[in-house]
Amino acid sequence: MEEAKINPITRKNLPLLLSSIFILAGAIFIIPYGDFQEADTVHKFWIGISIISLGFIISWGIKSINYAWFWSITILARLILIPMEAGNDIWRYLWEGYIQNLGFSPYEFAPNAIELIPYRTEWWSLINNSDTSAIYPPLSQLGFRFLAAINPSVLIFKLAFILADLGICWLLSRKFTLEKTIIYAWNPLIIYSFAGGAHYDSWFILPLVAAWLAFDNNRWYWSSFLIGISVAIKWMSLPILSFVVWQKILDKQQHNTDRIWQINELDQTNNLANREQKLKLACTKLTGNILYRKIKQVGFLLLVSLLPMCIAALNFCEPEKCSLIPTSSNFVVKGRSAEFIPYLVSLISEQSTKYNWIYGIPLSLGVAVLIWNSHRFVNFAESYFFLLLTLSPIVHAWYFTWLIPFAVVTRNLGTKLVTLSALIYFVLPYRQIAGDNSWFLTPMERYWLWFPFIIGFIWSNWREKKFRIPKKEL
């Protein structure tokens, strides 16, 4: 009898126990293997990250988890990876924060600028694309400056990125169940990218998630302001602001309020003087007032969203000069990395590899279609990032982290699968060790990276539409 009581409990907790063990064991395993410039590092990194991934897959079967267990594994997995060698982007973060404190603008001086030679550090040679000036938006630069003022060390920057990452976990866990939040909190790509690789993307995801939750609560101005912060940290959030503005224009709740107010005003006019001409004039006047109010609200919404960028840019812009993007850089103009659609286009037209800007055209059209057809923040953001990533000429593995918070709600299969398939990306730094600096995936590697993501994403969206609940029941 006692054994019969124990077995069901053990069976119920087995996915939780196994998942936790694999995630922590995998994290411990990969600690020494963060420097992809060393021989055999990538293979061992893959082994360790595969162990974490196995734990993540098992976590999909967790039916119940308590608060203490969730946060213990979430925090511990990140703390374990703090000693891990960071990705090479960290050296640019450190450098750009460091030179700001010396009085130089990273937008004006590339790391290899002659003026900065006297200030080169022992890790200066590790900075990537040293001939390119800063590409990160102003608010991120101020963040780098603040951290570098404390101490230009990898540890300080890692802790800042981990805190933002844990902030995202906290926001998601407050809104959704812990079981759902595991998709983000115990995700191997998330755990490695911020705690191990020290990529700063958690900074821009945090205000974006907060904006999403504010939008769902009809807090329009807070949502816009938070998106503005996200844009000022990483440009990618900008089209999401367009969606929020459009939804404000279509705000049905506000329209109903205006309509009630308009009817009351017309009734008063009718009581005072039952004349057709006066009613028409009153109707015209009231419609104009409603339109004026709507324009004023949208204008204020835009103003609120632009504040973070404008205030942050004041530190780097002058009246006659404000160049925040190095548009003449070869990296910006024709850089390529693990791309999908631009790669397919290049098979037809090699000339297309010289102009990255051309993919802005289908992206803009796609965003316009999404704005027109989307009504929920989560659906727009997820579809937009899918479109952006498939069209972008430059894609890194950690870019897929942008989608993961939204999978907490949508459970999108493509987002789940790309968490695993994106690991193929790390074959690129592995090849650099052997002297291959082309940074080019083979066709098979490229398809294995992208097809699980694309097929899973399309399948999830098709399934959602097929079994969609009528709006009246939502």
Side-chain angles (χ1 to χ4, degrees):
M1 288 291 290
E2 189 175 343
E3 186 179 350
K5 289 181 180 178
I6 293 173
N7 284 340
I9 297 174
T10 305
R11 204 177 304 116
K12 179 182 176 182
N13 291 332
L14 190 59
L16 179 60
L17 291 170
L18 288 177
S19 176
S20 302
I21 290 169
F22 281 125
I23 287 170
L24 296 181
I28 293 169
F29 185 92
I30 64 172
I31 292 173
Y33 308 119
D35 186 0
F36 299 135
Q37 299 304 312
E38 294 182 4
D40 296 329
T41 292
V42 174
H43 287 113
K44 292 174 181 177
F45 169 79
W46 275 335
I47 293 171
I49 207 75
S50 296
I51 296 171
I52 301 175
S53 299
L54 179 59
F56 175 62
I57 293 170
I58 294 172
S59 75
W60 300 352
I62 294 174
K63 303 300 181 185
S64 176
I65 183 172
N66 64 49
Y67 190 85
W69 193 292
F70 170 85
W71 280 108
S72 296
I73 303 302
T74 298
I75 295 172
L76 193 55
R78 287 155 173 80
L79 292 180
I80 287 170
L81 291 186
I82 287 178
M84 186 180 187
E85 187 78 24
N88 60 8
D89 281 354
I90 189 68
W91 308 113
R92 179 170 280 274
Y93 306 159
L94 289 167
W95 176 258
E96 291 178 352
Y98 166 69
I99 65 168
Q100 285 180 72
N101 289 312
L102 295 173
F104 296 96
S105 169
Y107 294 111
E108 188 174 350
F109 298 98
N112 67 353
I114 296 173
E115 294 85 347
L116 299 179
I117 290 177
Y119 307 104
R120 291 181 180 178
T121 61
E122 59 183 13
W123 40 262
W124 177 87
S125 61
L126 299 174
I127 301 170
N128 55 19
N129 300 301
S130 61
D131 60 341
T132 303
S133 59
I135 61 172
Y136 306 118
L139 193 55
S140 61
Q141 293 294 346
L142 294 181
F144 299 157
R145 180 177 182 174
F146 173 75
L147 295 178
I150 299 172
N151 185 16
S153 71
V154 174
L155 175 61
I156 293 294
F157 278 67
K158 270 198 175 191
L159 289 174
F161 304 152
I162 290 171
L163 282 175
D165 177 27
L166 292 175
I168 298 164
C169 295
W170 178 73
L171 286 175
L172 293 172
S173 65
R174 283 189 66 205
K175 177 69 175 178
F176 311 105
T177 64
L178 295 177
E179 292 77 20
K180 287 184 176 181
T181 305
I182 279 176
I183 284 187
Y184 177 89
W186 292 11
N187 190 294
L189 194 57
I190 292 289
I191 294 170
Y192 164 72
S193 295
F194 306 142
H199 297 286
Y200 91 106
D201 300 59
S202 60
W203 277 6
F204 105 95
I205 298 173
L206 176 60
L208 185 60
V209 170
W212 163 29
L213 302 183
F215 177 89
D216 283 358
N217 289 322
N218 292 318
R219 302 175 70 179
W220 297 96
Y221 297 113
W222 270 113
S223 182
S224 297
F225 179 70
L226 289 163
I227 292 174
I229 292 176
S230 184
V231 173
I233 295 173
K234 197 149 189 152
W235 305 105
M236 310 309 172
S237 302
L238 186 57
I240 299 176
L241 176 61
S242 303
F243 165 78
V244 171
V245 170
W246 180 246
Q247 290 302 308
K248 180 60 179 174
I249 293 172
L250 299 178
D251 184 12
K252 292 180 180 179
Q253 186 176 355
Q254 183 65 44
H255 282 179
N256 291 336
T257 303
D258 290 339
R259 192 178 293 117
I260 292 168
W261 175 69
Q262 181 178 6
I263 291 169
N264 289 336
E265 288 293 319
L266 285 173
D267 284 345
Q268 291 175 17
T269 304
N270 188 41
N271 292 334
L272 291 171
N274 190 17
R275 295 181 183 178
E276 185 177 351
Q277 187 176 3
K278 286 192 175 183
L279 280 172
K280 286 182 179 180
L281 287 172
C283 186
T284 302
K285 181 180 177 181
L286 290 171
T287 302
N289 287 340
I290 292 170
L291 182 61
Y292 171 73
R293 286 174 61 195
K294 182 64 70 175
I295 292 172
K296 188 167 67 172
Q297 288 170 351
V298 170
F300 188 67
L301 206 70
L302 288 170
L303 179 63
V304 166
S305 65
L306 291 172
L307 276 176
M309 177 67 77
C310 293
I311 293 172
L314 289 174
N315 294 271
F316 305 101
C317 292
E318 301 173 2
E320 67 280 355
K321 185 180 179 183
C322 189
S323 178
L324 301 179
I325 302 176
T327 52
S328 60
S329 162
N330 280 335
F331 174 75
V332 174
V333 173
K334 53 183 181 181
R336 292 295 168 103
S337 174
E339 73 282 10
F340 183 65
I341 290 178
Y343 165 74
L344 297 179
V345 173
S346 71
L347 297 178
I348 302 169
S349 171
E350 189 177 344
Q351 194 72 10
S352 66
T353 59
K354 299 178 181 179
Y355 308 102
N356 283 349
W357 65 266
I358 60 176
Y359 298 101
I361 298 172
L363 179 62
S364 299
L365 293 173
V367 167
V369 171
L370 288 175
I371 289 174
W372 184 261
N373 290 313
S374 301
H375 303 288
R376 297 175 65 206
F377 190 110
V378 62
N379 294 134
F380 176 84
E382 190 174 59
S383 297
Y384 158 64
F385 281 131
F386 172 81
L387 188 65
L388 174 66
L389 290 169
T390 53
L391 283 170
S392 177
I394 301 172
V395 177
H396 299 298
W398 50 94
Y399 286 8
F400 294 102
T401 61
W402 308 345
L403 280 155
I404 295 171
F406 306 107
V408 170
V409 174
T410 65
R411 322 297 284 180
N412 190 284
L413 180 61
T415 302
K416 287 182 178 181
L417 293 178
V418 80
T419 293
L420 312 176
S421 67
L423 301 176
I424 293 171
Y425 166 89
F426 293 101
V427 74
L428 295 172
Y430 170 73
R431 288 213 182 98
Q432 280 190 320
I433 302 169
D436 182 0
N437 294 311
S438 64
W439 206 260
F440 196 78
L441 293 173
T442 66
M444 187 58 67
E445 290 165 350
R446 197 179 303 270
Y447 298 145
W448 272 109
L449 190 159
W450 284 100
F451 278 2
F453 174 49
I454 293 172
I455 294 171
F457 193 92
I458 292 172
W459 183 84
S460 288
N461 278 274
W462 169 81
R463 186 172 178 273
E464 181 189 354
K465 290 177 181 177
K466 182 177 180 181
F467 300 104
R468 178 172 291 170
I469 301 170
K471 290 185 179 180
K472 290 181 181 178
E473 297 180 29
L474 292 174

